[in-house]
C-alpha cells in the first residue's frame, strides 16, 4: 500500500469509524494540515507530542488506528484533484473527503456545473443543444444525479464524445446504477462523486447543504431555466440560458442569453463573461477641396476689411 492510500484510509477511519464528532475530526485535520503534518505522523506523535495539547485523555486514548484499515476510493481536501473552490466553503460544509466511482483524474478539468432548476420544454431544448456543444470541449459538465439536467446530460453523452460528472446525494455504495451509467463508468466517461459516507442513504434534509457543495465545486455555472437563478448562485461566473430573457439582468455580473451557441463564447473568456462587441468606428467625412482664392477672399471680407498683404497673398500677387 502506498503512503497516499494509507493516509486516505486513516482520514476515513478518523472521520467515520473512530467515534469523534465529524466537526472535531475536521478541526484536527485542518490543524495538522496547516502545520504540514500528515495524519499518520500526527497519530504516531501522540501522546508525547505537543500536538496533544487541548486533547482530552479519552481522545488521545481513542486516536489509535486499527492494524487493518478499510480501503476507500476518496480524494482528501489536501490533494491536487480536490476541487480548489471547495476550500472556500466554511468548514461545516466543506467535505474532508470526496468519494468517487470512475476515473478521478477527470477532476483535473475545469468543472462546469448545471444546477437543478425548473425546466419546461423550451428550456430543456436549449440545455440539450448547449450540452451537445460542451461535451468534448475540455470542460467537465456536471449535474445532480436524478435531476432532469442529469438525464439530459447522459442522453447527450450517448450521442457525443467527452465525459461527464454526476453528483450523488447519497453514499456511492447505496446507488442502484442504471445500465447507461454502468456503461459510461466502464468506458471511463462518467465520474460519480459524493461527499457522503459510502453507506449513507438519501435524505432530503441534506439536499440544501449538498447543493452548496455542488455549486461550490464549480469553476463555472450554467443555469438553464425560465425561472431566474437562485440568489445563492455566484453570479459573477454564471450564465443564464433561458428562452425568455428578462429586459434587465437580475444579478450583478450575470450574463443572460437565449442562444445556446453563446455558451462556448462565454467559456472562452475569463470570468465567464464575453467581451462587449467592439464599437463601430465613427464615420469620417472625406476632406473638402480647398476653396478658390477669390471665394476665400469673399468669405473673409464678410468679417470686415482685409489687410492688403493678405489680399495679395490670397490672389497670388
Amino acid at each position: 500500500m502506498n503512503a497516499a492510500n494509507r493516509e486516505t484510509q486513516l482520514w476515513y477511519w478518523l472521520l467515520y469509524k473512530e467515534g469523534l464528532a465529524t466537526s472535531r475530526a475536521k478541526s484536527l485535520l485542518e490543524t495538522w494540515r496547516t502545520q504540514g503534518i500528515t495524519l499518520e505522523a500526527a497519530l504516531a506523535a501522540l501522546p508525547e507530542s505537543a500536538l496533544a495539547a487541548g486533547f482530552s485523555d479519552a481522545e488521545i486514548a481513542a486516536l489509535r488506528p486499527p492494524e487493518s484499515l478499510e480501503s476507500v476510493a476518496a480524494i482528501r481536501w489536501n490533494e491536487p484533484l480536490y476541487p480548489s473552490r471547495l476550500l472556500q466553503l466554511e468548514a461545516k460544509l466543506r467535505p474532508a473527503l470526496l468519494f468517487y466511482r470512475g476515473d478521478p483524474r477527470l477532476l483535473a478539468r475545469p468543472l462546469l456545473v448545471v444546477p437543478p432548476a425548473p425546466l419546461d420544454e423550451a428550456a430543456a431544448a436549449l440545455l440539450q443543444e448547449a450540452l451537445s456543444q460542451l461535451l468534448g470541449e475540455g470542460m467537465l459538465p456536471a449535474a445532480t444525479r436524478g435531476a432532469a439536467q442529469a438525464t439530459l446530460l447522459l442522453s447527450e453523452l450517448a450521442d457525443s464524445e467527452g465525459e461527464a460528472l454526476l453528483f450523488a446525494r447519497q453514499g456511492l455504495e447505496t446507488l442502484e446504477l442504471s445500465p447507461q451509467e454502468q456503461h459510461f463508468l466502464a468506458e471511463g466517461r462518467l465520474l460519480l462523486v459524493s461527499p457522503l459516507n459510502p453507506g449513507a442513504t438519501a435524505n432530503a434534509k441534506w439536499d440544501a447543504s449538498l447543493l452548496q457543495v455542488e455549486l461550490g465545486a464549480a469553476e463555472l455555472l450554467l443555469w438553464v431555466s425560465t425561472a431566474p437563478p437562485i440568489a445563492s448562485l455566484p453570479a459573477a461566473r454564471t450564465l443564464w440560458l433561458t428562452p425568455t430573457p428578462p429586459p434587465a439582468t437580475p444579478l450583478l455580473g450575470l450574463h443572460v442569453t437565449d442562444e445556446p451557441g453563446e455558451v462556448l463564447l462565454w467559456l472562452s473568456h475569463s470570468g465567464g463573461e464575453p467581451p462587449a462587441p467592439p464599437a463601430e468606428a465613427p464615420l469620417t467625412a472625406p476632406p473638402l477641396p480647398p476653396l478658390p482664392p477669390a471665394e476665400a477672399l469673399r468669405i473673409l471680407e464678410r468679417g470686415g476689411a482685409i489687410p492688403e498683404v493678405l489680399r495679395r497673398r490670397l490672389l497670388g500677387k
Side-chain angles (χ1 to χ4, degrees):
M1 179 193 307
N2 63 42
N5 287 342
R6 177 168 173 78
E7 183 73 2
T8 301
Q9 291 177 339
L10 284 170
W11 279 47
Y12 180 67
W13 163 79
L14 181 69
L15 287 160
Y16 298 106
K17 302 296 182 179
E18 192 278 328
L20 289 179
T22 303
S23 58
R24 177 60 169 156
K26 283 185 174 182
S27 176
L28 294 176
L29 290 171
E30 181 64 14
T31 297
W32 291 323
R33 183 189 69 83
T34 57
Q35 295 176 352
I37 300 172
T38 65
L39 174 55
E40 183 168 26
L43 295 174
L46 294 175
E48 294 82 4
S49 168
L51 290 174
F55 287 21
S56 68
D57 290 341
E59 282 181 330
I60 295 176
L63 290 174
R64 295 176 181 171
E67 293 184 6
S68 178
L69 293 166
E70 287 187 53
S71 180
V72 60
I75 300 168
R76 305 185 307 275
W77 67 26
N78 61 350
E79 290 189 285
L81 287 177
Y82 188 89
S84 60
R85 290 184 179 272
L86 283 180
L87 298 174
Q88 300 172 16
L89 291 180
E90 59 178 308
K92 181 180 179 180
L93 288 174
R94 186 197 326 148
L97 291 173
L98 275 181
F99 301 94
Y100 65 85
R101 291 182 67 172
D103 187 350
R105 292 174 297 181
L106 293 176
L107 284 172
R109 302 181 188 177
L111 194 61
L112 183 141
V113 174
V114 186
L119 279 181
D120 62 11
E121 187 175 346
L126 290 180
L127 176 56
Q128 192 161 14
E129 185 174 347
L131 290 173
S132 69
Q133 300 179 58
L134 287 169
L135 284 165
E137 289 298 321
M139 304 290 293
L140 184 63
T144 303
R145 186 176 183 270
Q149 289 75 9
T151 300
L152 289 172
L153 180 55
L154 292 178
S155 175
E156 281 305 310
L157 198 61
D159 297 327
S160 309
E161 296 181 352
E163 294 78 26
L165 180 148
L166 294 183
F167 293 107
R169 292 185 174 179
Q170 63 191 88
L172 297 182
E173 291 179 358
T174 69
L175 293 179
E176 293 186 12
L177 299 180
S178 68
Q180 190 180 44
E181 289 172 328
Q182 294 176 26
H183 172 72
F184 291 139
L185 277 172
E187 285 192 333
R189 301 180 61 204
L190 180 63
L191 178 63
L192 294 170
V193 169
S194 174
L196 297 175
N197 183 353
T201 56
N203 191 329
K205 72 178 184 181
W206 297 333
D207 285 357
S209 296
L210 293 173
L211 175 61
Q212 292 307 307
V213 173
E214 294 161 10
L215 299 180
E219 294 285 337
L220 294 167
L221 291 162
L222 176 61
W223 179 271
V224 186
S225 180
T226 52
I230 57 178
S232 59
L233 286 184
R237 46 191 182 91
T238 302
L239 174 69
W240 179 16
L241 181 60
T242 175
T244 54
T249 301
L251 297 172
L252 182 65
L254 180 70
H255 182 66
V256 186
T257 183
D258 59 356
E259 291 292 336
E262 283 196 32
V263 175
L264 290 181
L265 176 64
W266 172 69
L267 290 174
S268 68
H269 297 92
S270 60
E273 186 70 20
E280 293 185 3
L283 296 177
T284 303
L288 297 174
L291 291 173
E295 180 65 15
L297 185 61
R298 184 180 66 80
I299 294 174
L300 289 173
E301 284 177 335
R302 293 177 185 172
I306 303 297
E308 187 61 24
V309 174
L310 179 55
R311 179 187 298 274
R312 289 177 179 275
R313 183 176 300 168
L314 287 171
L315 296 177
K317 295 182 179 179

